[in-house]
Amino acid sequence: MNTPDSALQRILCIGGGPAGLYFALLMKRRDPSLTVTVVERNRPFDTFGWGVVLSDQTLGNLRAADPESATLIGEAFNHWDDIEVFYKGGRVRSGGHGFCGIGRKKLLNILQDRCLELGVDLVFETDVADDQALAAQYNADLVIASDGLNSRIRTRYADTFQPDIDTRECRFVWLGTKKTFDAFTFDFVQTEHGWFQAHAYKFDGETSTFIVETPEAVWKAHGIDQMEQAEGVAFCEKLFADRLEGHALISNAQHLRGSANWIRFPRVICKTWVHRIEVAGRQIPIVLMGDSAHTAHFSIGSGTKLALEDAIDLANEFTRHANADVTEVLSGYEARRSVEVLKIQNAARNSTEWFENVDRYTGMEVEQFAYSLLTRSQRISHENLRLRDPAWLEGYESWLEAQADPAPGRPKPDQPLDPARTGTLPRPGAATRAAAERGGSHPAPPMLLPLTVRGLTLKNRIVVSPMAQYSAVDGAVGDYHLVHLGARALGGAALVMVEMTSPTPEGRITPGCPGLWNDVQQAAFERIVHFTHSSHAHIGIQLGHSGPKGSTQLGWERIDEPLESGNWPVISASAVPYGPQNQVPRAVTRVDMDALTAAFVESTHRAAAAGFDWLEMHAAHGYLLSAFICPLTNQRTDEYGGTLANRCRYPLEVFTAMRAAWPAERPMSVRISAHDWAPGGNTPDDAVEMARLFKAAGCDVIDVSSGQTTRQAKPVYGRMYQTPFADRVRNEAGILTMAVGAIQEADHANSIIAAGRADLCAVARPHLADPAWTLHEAAKLQTRALQWPRQYESGRDQLYRETARLQALNNNDKP
């Protein structure tokens, strides 16, 4: 007969790593009457790791959970604030990062001693083959499965836990050295086959961890897969000789043969963390904890952190709900903790991919390469770096400003760098002195740097993204658009983009969308262009054809749903509807293609005549040109279907014709969907190839969006969630990019521009809520720097003058 599991008396932890030991001591500390047992297969002093890293924040969590063990851990820690990056003969060092290193063996011994002090039963040298038998032996009410990365328990109950294990691309080996590093050190070395990187940090007074990592293809090209362990270690010693300074590398995994000590990191995600087994007529919960439940790549040092904080969280949950039954406690723990873990795993994924693709960033100078490395996870932002090391960041901003294209008549500042390129960026005071000599005290924030594209110089890096307003009449924009676009032009952005505008009546998305096929429409746009230019902003237009997503209702009605009456026929690459409720489009013929190309060219001429500064071709979001590119919507068997090159053929024909019709000195961009977010669709790999094709055809900028090509898409949203796609396109295809998607504050834009992930930031919803978003964000930055170099005719100066001008207008004063 089953009994309720509300009475918790006996806890069994299977696995004596950080998660199992720490949870055991926390629960015993909370309630000494509990019987808590930890069963571990190794001996007390066995461990196969070197040092582990914890942040200052995690140390604070340990102090709150158990001050006694936290004190012992703190006394054994080696603390450092600096990160040092060696790359291509250069070196960058920044501070304020707040990390601690401790030997894994030392950490486990402290936790073991604390467990014994509190009365936890520790059972060593016991290999658990049957968790159910062990639970019965100890009459457990709760089983913690803390049996590590290769968890037998997770495997046994995989139908419940549903683990998703993704084996990553790089090979890495975990070594040690008696060379002690005074900073967390990253060393990047290029070989004839590719890049290796070392992650090194001191964890006690005489020893450092030294992790070597490289893509598997590079590892195999050097024949390391065929080497014995000693040979592989010797290879690494020679490769990183400059950093090791004569010290040897040490392996503590001599039991492994050949190259088995080089592994690929397995990213583990489990759908659920709790399973129930029946033991002696009782339902006993088994809970995954630590690496058995999840892993996070070592490059953000979070494996041990996650394990310890899992233990803290579950122990706290028992404390908060002392009278609740175990089922309720575990449910709350899993619901809350799984979200926190996912955030860290998302950051770890970004970090992992950065290290897997070091070659992507090797066109950068060491200064930007280091900044990109520091912000790789997207958890550390520009202003967060300022809090950590303001002098270093100011030096980097000065360097970045020196690289920016000067506005007409503006001299380029002197390089604030050591010409020998063996030192760090300017340290305290140097950047301030350099700026003071130019008439100011601080460098410009990255988002306010100018950018020149062909013959157009943008005063800053902020673009008002094209956003459908559904307010045109017969394709003609009116007073609403003058106010909508004009307000945002006054709001400080460098470039204001008009929403997707169709070259034909049938190419509109809805009856309220604009077009550019007649004189009335052209004249209406000329009025808006003239006003925008008078406000010291530039304006662009996005031309596109709705294709299979046309003839739908206005955005505030039922978006993407067919009109209830008055539908017009729609066309596409193939007869594939956007969704089951949408019209089945007619597949375009060669005659249709020629006519549509001619229409795009006519609209391009009209846009140039209207005075637009920038032209963008819309080839994303499932519209006509996107429908050719997406393999889910292009089922053609002619030369316009099949391979990606064939699928891009017609969009490239249209682009080439538009580029020829558009003035040579004016920039032209293409918006793409970099990821279809659906099985069988385009991926970021395809996006890089698309960008290369458009770059070869004369495209200046790729506007990198994603999704909306099929109703089956399942995007993963989040802060700046599309920026990694812009990063890939920019740094692999070698073309300027515009990032878009959940960029909501200046800190986001500054981080993106400074890291070289994109060259422009298109901001949509924040500009809807606040037409002067750019000015307001610039004003926030101005609180940090009240004076700027006076002689620069730069974007920031214009912004601050425009702020005063806008205030004067609001006060009915003469500007």
Side-chain angles (χ1 to χ4, degrees):
M1 178 177 178
N2 294 340
T3 58
D5 55 8
S6 58
L8 181 62
Q9 298 178 343
R10 293 166 297 276
I11 298 173
L12 172 64
C13 299
I14 301 177
L21 289 171
Y22 202 55
F23 181 71
L25 74 86
L26 291 180
M27 291 301 289
K28 190 68 175 177
R29 181 177 186 269
R30 168 185 170 272
D31 184 355
S33 70
L34 289 173
T35 299
V36 184
T37 305
V38 178
V39 178
E40 165 60 35
R41 67 179 177 178
N42 295 317
R43 294 174 297 180
F45 293 96
D46 280 351
T47 184
F48 299 104
W50 288 94
V52 297
V53 177
L54 299 176
S55 67
D56 286 349
Q57 179 186 25
T58 301
L59 280 181
N61 294 336
L62 296 181
R63 283 190 290 269
D66 180 39
E68 291 81 2
S69 60
T71 298
L72 294 170
I73 292 169
E75 291 172 351
F77 260 126
N78 279 270
H79 185 278
W80 67 88
D81 279 325
D82 287 2
I83 291 177
E84 192 163 37
V85 180
F86 293 87
Y87 162 77
K88 285 168 58 170
R91 176 173 66 94
V92 169
R93 185 169 179 136
S94 66
H97 300 287
F99 287 102
C100 298
I102 185 173
R104 179 176 169 83
K105 180 186 293 188
K106 182 66 174 177
L107 175 63
L108 292 179
N109 291 161
I110 290 172
L111 298 181
Q112 289 162 1
D113 289 344
R114 181 64 175 147
C115 281
L116 292 173
E117 179 184 333
L118 291 168
V120 174
D121 296 325
L122 300 182
V123 180
F124 293 102
E125 299 182 73
T126 301
D127 194 12
V128 180
D130 187 341
D131 57 277
Q132 295 186 17
L134 197 69
Q137 178 184 335
Y138 286 95
N139 197 24
D141 303 312
L142 172 66
V143 176
I144 301 298
S146 50
D147 55 340
L149 177 61
N150 298 310
S151 171
R152 290 176 176 174
I153 296 173
R154 184 185 65 221
T155 301
R156 182 175 186 178
Y157 306 116
D159 287 347
T160 298
F161 296 129
Q162 298 183 50
D164 175 6
I165 302 176
D166 177 22
T167 303
R168 301 304 308 179
E169 299 300 319
C170 282
R171 289 276 178 175
F172 71 95
V173 62
W174 203 288
L175 301 170
T177 179
K178 293 302 179 180
K179 161 68 185 292
T180 55
F181 295 88
D182 64 351
F184 196 117
T185 300
F186 293 101
D187 190 14
F188 296 85
V189 177
Q190 187 177 22
T191 71
E192 66 271 29
H193 298 300
W195 287 84
F196 284 77
Q197 54 259 12
H199 312 236
Y201 55 90
K202 182 173 66 173
F203 65 83
D204 63 27
E206 58 181 20
T207 319
S208 296
T209 296
F210 201 94
I211 304 170
V212 179
E213 182 185 24
T214 189
E216 183 166 31
V218 178
W219 180 72
K220 286 185 174 180
H222 280 281
I224 303 174
D225 58 324
Q226 302 300 316
M227 294 181 185
E228 289 300 321
Q229 185 176 149
E231 291 180 276
V233 172
F235 175 89
C236 294
E237 284 179 356
K238 182 178 180 181
L239 194 63
F240 294 99
D242 288 347
R243 219 52 55 224
L244 289 168
E245 298 179 329
H247 291 82
L249 288 175
I250 311 163
S251 171
N252 63 2
Q254 283 85 0
H255 61 291
L256 299 176
R257 302 272 67 86
S259 60
N261 57 331
W262 289 82
I263 64 173
R264 293 169 62 191
F265 185 84
R267 192 271 292 129
V268 177
I269 297 174
C270 290
K271 186 174 183 179
T272 61
W273 294 3
V274 181
H275 175 73
R276 291 182 177 276
I277 59 174
E278 186 170 321
V279 177
R282 296 188 305 138
Q283 290 289 313
I284 307 301
I286 297 182
V287 185
L288 298 180
M289 186 175 286
D291 282 352
S292 63
H294 46 66
T295 60
H297 193 256
F298 58 83
S299 63
I300 64 168
S302 289
T304 303
K305 164 192 168 68
L306 286 175
L308 295 172
E309 291 182 349
D310 281 355
I312 293 171
D313 196 283
L314 184 51
N316 286 345
E317 189 75 9
F318 275 110
T319 301
R320 281 191 295 267
H321 304 285
N323 297 321
D325 65 20
V326 174
T327 299
E328 184 177 343
V329 170
L330 296 180
S331 177
Y333 161 73
E334 181 179 351
R336 184 185 57 260
R337 186 67 187 148
S338 61
V339 173
E340 293 304 310
V341 168
L342 185 59
K343 291 177 184 177
I344 293 174
Q345 286 187 311
N346 285 340
R349 181 198 63 231
N350 292 336
S351 179
T352 305
E353 291 179 354
W354 195 94
F355 282 105
E356 289 173 342
N357 296 281
V358 167
D359 191 57
R360 180 185 300 162
Y361 305 104
T362 53
M364 294 179 175
E365 297 300 317
V366 64
E367 293 79 16
Q368 190 167 53
F369 182 87
Y371 183 100
S372 177
L373 184 154
L374 292 174
T375 59
R376 65 193 180 278
S377 71
Q378 293 192 173
R379 296 184 79 209
I380 296 176
S381 70
H382 195 73
E383 292 308 311
N384 186 265
L385 287 175
R386 195 182 309 282
L387 289 174
R388 296 175 182 224
D389 192 340
W392 171 79
L393 186 67
E394 189 170 299
Y396 178 65
E397 288 178 329
S398 293
W399 178 86
L400 198 66
E401 184 177 58
Q403 314 310 306
D405 289 337
R410 168 185 165 184
K412 211 171 187 178
D414 293 335
Q415 283 269 9
L417 297 175
D418 178 358
R421 294 180 52 73
T422 57
T424 63
L425 285 167
R427 296 303 293 171
T432 302
R433 288 195 301 273
E437 290 172 2
R438 302 194 303 268
S441 59
H442 292 279
M447 67 174 260
L448 299 185
L449 293 174
L451 178 69
T452 298
V453 187
R454 291 197 181 232
L456 181 70
T457 296
L458 300 175
K459 62 187 178 184
N460 60 61
R461 304 302 183 92
I462 302 301
V463 177
V464 177
S465 196
M467 294 173 281
Q469 298 299 301
Y470 311 105
S471 299
V473 177
D474 295 328
V477 296
D479 290 346
Y480 172 87
H481 296 87
L482 176 64
V483 174
H484 166 69
L485 296 168
R488 283 144 189 88
L490 287 169
L495 178 65
V496 178
M497 291 296 298
V498 176
E499 65 199 89
M500 190 178 92
T501 300
S502 175
T504 69
E506 300 79 19
R508 291 174 295 165
I509 308 166
T510 76
C513 291
L516 187 50
W517 63 81
N518 63 38
D519 293 343
V520 172
Q521 295 159 350
Q522 180 179 324
F525 275 127
E526 287 174 358
R527 177 182 176 222
I528 294 172
V529 169
H530 176 75
F531 181 86
T532 302
H533 288 162
S534 72
S535 68
H536 306 293
H538 294 289
I539 187 167
I541 187 168
Q542 184 186 71
L543 292 180
H545 189 291
S546 60
K549 296 176 73 174
S551 190
T552 55
Q553 299 181 39
L554 302 181
W556 52 79
E557 295 172 339
R558 295 168 61 220
I559 194 167
D560 289 335
E561 299 295 312
L563 294 169
E564 293 184 355
S565 63
N567 275 289
W568 59 82
V570 296
I571 57 175
S572 187
S574 301
V576 178
Y578 179 61
Q581 62 270 59
N582 294 95
Q583 290 186 61
V584 176
R586 176 177 61 80
V588 296
T589 65
R590 179 69 257 178
V591 172
D592 296 324
M593 293 183 199
D594 292 341
L596 284 166
T597 302
F600 271 106
V601 168
E602 182 186 351
S603 290
T604 298
H605 284 302
R606 289 186 178 278
F612 281 102
D613 306 295
W614 188 290
L615 178 64
E616 179 164 286
M617 186 184 84
H618 201 326
H621 300 171
Y623 300 121
L624 179 63
L625 299 179
S626 171
F628 271 89
I629 298 173
C630 174
L632 301 174
T633 51
N634 184 338
Q635 299 179 359
R636 301 178 73 97
T637 57
D638 60 8
E639 66 270 32
Y640 296 96
T643 65
L644 178 62
N646 282 356
R647 299 197 308 273
C648 288
R649 188 186 300 271
Y650 181 61
L652 283 165
E653 288 179 7
V654 175
F655 175 85
T656 301
M658 292 171 68
R659 180 68 267 184
W662 185 243
E665 71 279 6
R666 300 188 205 178
M668 193 168 169
S669 58
V670 175
R671 173 168 281 199
I672 65 171
S673 282
H675 197 327
D676 288 332
W677 299 105
N682 284 319
T683 68
D685 288 341
D686 298 312
V688 173
E689 292 306 311
M690 293 178 215
R692 288 177 175 141
L693 291 170
F694 282 110
K695 176 185 177 182
C699 180
D700 301 301
V701 178
I702 299 294
D703 182 356
V704 187
S705 186
S706 71
Q708 302 180 56
T709 55
T710 171
R711 288 187 185 267
Q712 282 68 53
K714 294 182 179 179
V716 179
Y717 295 108
R719 186 176 50 136
M720 300 181 287
Y721 72 105
Q722 295 179 139
T723 298
F725 308 144
D727 184 345
R728 282 203 61 182
V729 168
R730 180 185 191 271
N731 292 298
E732 292 185 36
I735 186 171
L736 300 179
T737 60
M738 189 184 307
V740 61
I743 300 168
Q744 298 167 327
E745 55 190 64
D747 200 17
H748 296 168
N750 282 328
S751 300
I752 291 168
I753 301 303
R757 294 189 172 93
D759 304 277
L760 293 165
C761 290
V763 179
R765 287 180 176 84
H767 273 128
L768 279 181
D770 178 7
W773 180 87
T774 305
L775 287 174
H776 291 149
E777 291 297 302
K780 292 176 186 176
L781 297 173
Q782 194 180 19
T783 63
R784 178 179 61 81
L786 299 178
Q787 291 186 353
W788 299 98
R790 285 189 294 271
Q791 71 265 39
Y792 288 174
E793 183 66 16
S794 68
R796 60 175 181 269
D797 301 316
Q798 292 185 27
L799 286 175
Y800 298 136
R801 285 202 307 275
E802 287 165 25
T803 302
R805 179 173 178 266
L806 191 58
Q807 291 171 342
L809 288 172
N810 290 339
N811 294 329
N812 294 319
D813 293 333
K814 181 179 285 188

